[in-house]
Amino acid sequence: MIGDPVRLKTAALLVLLGLLTMLAGIGQLTFWAPSETVTASVPSDTKAAPLTVIDPKLIALHEGPVKIKIQGEGNFMVATGRPDDVEAWVGGTAHTTLTGVSADQKSLEASSVDGEATAPSPAGSDLWVSTEDASGELDYTWNPPADGEWSLLVAADGTQPAPSSISMTFPNNATTPWAVPLIVLGIIIILVGAALPFIAKALSNRRKDGQDDEPHDGGETTTLPVQSTSGDAGRRRGPETEGPALRVTAIAAALAAVMVGGTAVAAQATTTPEATPTSSAAAPAEGEGGTPVLLESQLQRILEQVASTVDAADAAKDAAKLAPRVDKMELQIRTQNYKVRTAVSAYEARMPVRATKLQSSVISTKREWPRTVFALTQGEGNVVPQVLTLVQLSPRENYKLWGSAPLQPGTNFPSFPVPREGTEPVPAADKTGLAYSGNEALGILAEMLTTPDSPNRSKLADGQASPYIAGALAYQADTVKNGTSANFKFTHTPVPNQTVVLRTADGGALVVGRLDFAFEGTPKAAGDKLLLEDDSAVFAGGKETTTGMVLNFAESVAVYIPPAGSADPMKLVAATRGLVGASFK
């Protein structure tokens, strides 16, 4: 009985210690918990530059939403683009790159690169997936537009310094690893302290019972060997070996799991005799294919701007209005069309470009320039869909329309597999994996249009039965038949530097290019005359000639090439032509 007060005092101290330990753990989850976010700012001594780049590693430094606050004088913008696109657009311009966060998480790490003092305004570039415009101040929450890495470009107009006051607020990744263990430990200590008097009494009673059973005859006492606690014997624990301490630990673990949501695993670990090994499967490797140069939202925006530009130029018959969005063959054909329509009111306008309905697209994964995209669109004024060829020559230039051609009757553009995740471009002279190279395909088509009995006619589907081919050959034959006083010659020649080839998903390819179609006429005898139509006369400077004439057309064509080993012929997918010149010999 002398020790009872001591035991009670010890129990009280254990309970108090357990409470303090548990409160310390709870405190780490509540009033001592770290802030949910951290904010880091650009150092005030960072060198001013016309462009500021926010590196993708900084954006992805913490999981969760990132809030960006930018303050500056006047108007500025924030553009979102792929890291290589942002880098290519910045080029040799002086810029500041925000790459990380300091150890105390209060400052953004910035590096400055010297270079050209100014740059063009980045506004309106096709490289950007999205832009945010602001004046004076912008609070911007970063959300990735698609999978993969992204960079941000901050700029004014390219001539003025980019805003220098930038702060980024991230979710705080700081953890409190000791919170749950302290709570669990505190509960255990409390329960042990509370149970201590009862444990002591039970042990005292057991000793008393043992003393009553001791022999009093002075005989010998045999000491039994202690049973091993390893192996099977150790796992067969009877009521006598399962002491109060184990039960207390189990109760404490259960209470901890109830009190601290989501920490049941940590609590159970105190009662598990053997740790269960865990393994995590390796993340699947990313595909080896390249990233498409455009998202569909970008392509749709580009098509709308191209269509709007062409509409304005067509309405005004002003080729200068085409310059921002049209080039190469399409620019030449429409420019000449405007000249004829200005002089001959009845002359038919070129087919309008529409972006109302984007039916399909073939997008290059080649990250270098030039970049190419094929788009199949339709809208008001288009009786049939048309294949548009868009090319971006360099990072700071926008995509321009190089050619447009209506889909051939009976042809379905997606009838051959169109890759949805971008596709590999192919050099025009390369036939690796293809039945023909792009140059060979256009050469065979040109030969068939020039020579009706071409030996290669079987290599192109339907041969002369193709609507465009049949129409061209019929026109040429009728002209020869009706030209009793003149000799006529027709030639179709590929223009190599305007040939673009993109692979299709079935291993084939789509080649889009230009043929130059020359129509020559020479009088058969002295005094014979050739009469030109009003449209040709606009370029030739007159309607009659006794020496001869040449009419020039540009033909925009698209041909599907099957993969190597296929028995299928090529298919003429789209074709059209436009008058681009006429002259007297």
Side-chain angles (χ1 to χ4, degrees):
M1 299 297 294
I2 298 177
D4 288 346
V6 175
R7 294 192 190 99
L8 291 174
K9 187 175 182 179
T10 302
L13 288 174
L14 285 174
V15 171
L16 179 60
L17 177 61
L19 285 172
L20 293 175
T21 304
M22 187 175 66
L23 288 174
I26 293 173
Q28 290 196 22
L29 294 176
T30 55
F31 45 86
W32 288 333
S35 173
E36 293 183 356
T37 60
V38 293
T39 299
S41 303
V42 173
S44 58
D45 59 350
T46 301
K47 186 177 180 180
L51 305 173
T52 297
V53 177
I54 301 180
D55 190 90
K57 293 183 179 61
L58 176 58
I59 300 174
L61 187 62
H62 297 267
E63 293 184 359
V66 178
K67 294 184 178 181
I68 304 172
K69 185 171 185 177
I70 304 173
Q71 294 176 304
E73 297 181 3
N75 299 327
F76 60 89
M77 64 170 289
V78 179
T80 301
R82 295 290 186 187
D84 59 336
D85 288 346
V86 172
E87 181 181 357
W89 194 93
V90 170
T93 303
H95 61 280
T96 299
T97 302
L98 306 183
T99 57
V101 179
S102 62
D104 61 4
Q105 300 195 67
K106 294 182 178 180
S107 299
L108 294 172
E109 295 176 346
S111 61
S112 298
V113 177
D114 294 331
E116 299 168 6
T118 62
S121 172
S125 172
D126 287 344
L127 293 182
W128 316 139
V129 175
S130 62
T131 57
E132 294 282 341
D133 297 320
S135 178
E137 183 174 319
L138 173 66
D139 287 316
Y140 175 68
T141 299
W142 162 250
N143 289 302
D147 292 338
E149 291 188 334
W150 300 93
S151 292
L152 299 179
L153 177 69
V154 183
D157 61 356
T159 61
Q160 299 298 319
S164 57
S165 177
I166 301 176
S167 64
M168 300 179 68
T169 301
F170 307 93
N172 192 355
N173 291 341
T175 60
T176 54
W178 285 102
V180 172
L182 286 172
I183 293 173
V184 173
L185 181 60
I187 294 173
I188 293 173
I189 296 173
I190 291 171
L191 292 175
V192 170
L196 184 60
F198 302 99
I199 296 172
K201 183 177 181 180
L203 292 174
S204 176
N205 291 336
R206 180 172 296 182
R207 284 196 299 270
K208 183 181 295 184
D209 293 341
Q211 290 172 359
D212 292 340
D213 293 337
E214 287 180 4
H216 299 279
D217 56 1
E220 294 183 0
T221 301
T222 303
T223 304
L224 297 177
V226 178
Q227 187 179 23
S228 172
T229 57
S230 63
D232 293 336
R235 284 192 287 268
R236 291 195 294 270
R237 299 192 177 188
E240 272 124 301
T241 59
E242 191 175 275
L246 180 61
R247 289 195 295 271
V248 168
T249 304
I251 294 170
L255 287 174
V258 172
M259 292 182 64
V260 185
T263 61
V265 173
Q268 290 169 2
T270 63
T271 63
T272 303
E274 296 180 6
T276 303
T278 59
S279 63
S280 59
E286 294 184 4
E288 296 181 358
T291 303
V293 296
L294 292 175
L295 297 184
E296 187 171 322
S297 59
Q298 283 176 280
L299 177 56
Q300 187 65 57
R301 184 185 72 227
I302 292 167
L303 289 171
E304 290 171 357
Q305 293 177 3
V306 169
S308 176
T309 298
V310 172
D311 273 352
D314 286 354
K317 302 175 189 176
D318 184 358
K321 294 181 179 295
L322 293 172
R325 285 293 185 178
V326 184
D327 201 1
K328 302 296 182 181
M329 175 172 50
E330 193 68 24
L331 177 61
Q332 183 185 19
I333 291 176
R334 288 190 182 273
T335 299
Q336 301 304 72
N337 180 271
Y338 298 161
K339 289 182 180 179
V340 176
R341 286 172 55 208
T342 300
V344 183
S345 59
Y347 192 68
E348 186 177 2
R350 180 78 167 164
M351 179 182 288
V353 174
R354 293 290 180 255
T356 308
K357 185 177 181 182
L358 174 60
Q359 296 186 349
S360 187
S361 62
V362 184
I363 302 176
S364 173
T365 57
K366 179 187 175 187
R367 304 300 298 181
E368 296 79 21
W369 282 266
R371 294 176 172 181
T372 305
V373 175
F374 299 148
L376 183 71
T377 66
Q378 192 171 14
E380 184 180 354
N382 294 146
V383 179
V384 296
Q386 59 186 161
V387 178
L388 307 178
T389 303
L390 303 168
V391 178
Q392 185 184 38
L393 291 176
S394 67
R396 287 183 176 177
E397 293 182 77
N398 280 339
Y399 281 88
K400 293 187 177 182
L401 179 66
W402 276 25
S404 65
L407 207 63
Q408 284 287 278
T411 301
N412 184 15
F413 186 80
S415 61
F416 50 88
V418 176
R420 299 187 60 83
E421 298 301 328
T423 187
E424 175 190 359
V426 183
D430 187 1
K431 63 179 295 183
T432 303
L434 301 173
Y436 309 94
S437 69
N439 287 343
E440 289 174 335
L442 295 187
I444 291 170
L445 173 61
E447 181 183 311
M448 187 178 295
L449 290 169
T450 301
T451 308
D453 57 352
S454 167
N456 289 318
R457 58 182 295 178
S458 63
K459 296 178 179 178
L460 198 60
D462 300 327
Q464 295 180 2
S466 173
Y468 184 81
I469 296 173
L473 294 178
Y475 168 73
Q476 293 170 184
D478 289 344
T479 301
V480 172
K481 180 180 179 180
N482 297 328
T484 56
S485 61
N487 295 316
F488 295 103
K489 178 182 177 182
F490 306 92
T491 58
H492 300 258
T493 308
V495 179
N497 63 358
Q498 295 187 36
T499 302
V500 181
V501 186
L502 292 177
R503 289 193 186 275
T504 52
D506 63 346
L510 186 67
V511 53
V512 174
R514 170 178 178 165
L515 305 181
D516 278 347
F517 171 26
F519 171 14
E520 296 185 47
T522 305
K524 288 184 177 179
D528 290 341
K529 294 181 181 180
L530 294 176
L531 298 178
L532 274 63
E533 298 289 346
D534 290 344
D535 53 355
S536 303
V538 172
F539 300 116
K543 298 192 65 173
E544 297 183 0
T545 177
T546 57
T547 57
M549 59 80 188
V550 179
L551 305 183
N552 299 108
F553 298 85
E555 293 179 296
S556 178
V557 298
V559 178
Y560 167 69
I561 305 172
S566 173
D568 295 333
M570 295 183 291
K571 297 177 183 178
L572 183 62
V573 177
T576 189
R577 64 173 173 263
L579 180 66
V580 294
S583 60
F584 293 136
K585 291 185 177 180

